[in-house]
Amino acid sequence: MEDLQSEDAAFDLVVSSMALHYVDDYAAVVRKVFAALRPGGRFVFSVEHPVCTAHPAGWVRNAQGEALYWPLDDYQRQGRRSTAWFVDGVVKFHRTVEHYVNTLIERGFRLEHLGEPRPLPACLAERPALQETMRRPPVLLLAACR
């Protein structure tokens, strides 16, 4: 994404799923996507929710392994975070919700949707472990139009 090269106004839709929180220069990617979209084109993406990336310590659990709370700290300090995700040392870049949204607006996008998806009741019934996601949003979903 950081090396994206495209003709101007070449696309009607650009989609990114759970990837932009790995990109150091989010503003540069937004600028490139804006240029690559035709007028009226849409940019739809999801990222790990900033509540999760701010202080990536994970759930604090009791002795039985039950989630007690998700610690939120250092939210306003944006930038590089190192965390364990399958392996140690995974680098993500924390940004506030405000930064994600205002960068889109500043680059000329019109925000169409801001979502914090959660499991449907049927999914919760089938997979009770997903109940933890009802206590803090794991995903931020944004849709913007050029």
Side-chain angles (χ1 to χ4, degrees), residues 131-142:
Q131 191 63 42
E132 286 181 357
T133 66
M134 298 297 288
R135 297 179 55 194
R136 62 95 179 99
V139 175
L140 175 65
L141 174 65
L142 295 169

Side-chain angles (χ1 to χ4, degrees), residues 13 24 27 29 67 117 123 146:
L13 175 66
D24 183 18
V29 172
C123 294
R146 176 178 176 177

Side-chain angles (χ1 to χ4, degrees), residues 118-134:
R118 57 194 159 280
L120 297 170
C123 294
L124 288 171
E126 188 174 310
R127 295 181 56 203
L130 289 175
Q131 191 63 42
E132 286 181 357
T133 66
M134 298 297 288

Side-chain angles (χ1 to χ4, degrees), residues 49 51-52 59-62 65-72 116-119 124 128-138:
H49 198 288
V51 166
C52 300
W59 289 100
V60 173
R61 298 180 182 277
N62 65 16
E66 299 164 330
L68 298 175
Y69 59 90
W70 183 276
L72 177 60
E116 297 170 310
R118 57 194 159 280
L124 288 171
L130 289 175
Q131 191 63 42
E132 286 181 357
T133 66
M134 298 297 288
R135 297 179 55 194
R136 62 95 179 99

Side-chain angles (χ1 to χ4, degrees), residues 81-97:
R81 303 289 200 274
S82 183
T83 186
W85 188 64
F86 294 105
V87 297
D88 289 336
V90 175
V91 173
K92 297 178 184 178
F93 293 89
H94 168 68
R95 297 171 182 92
T96 62
V97 172

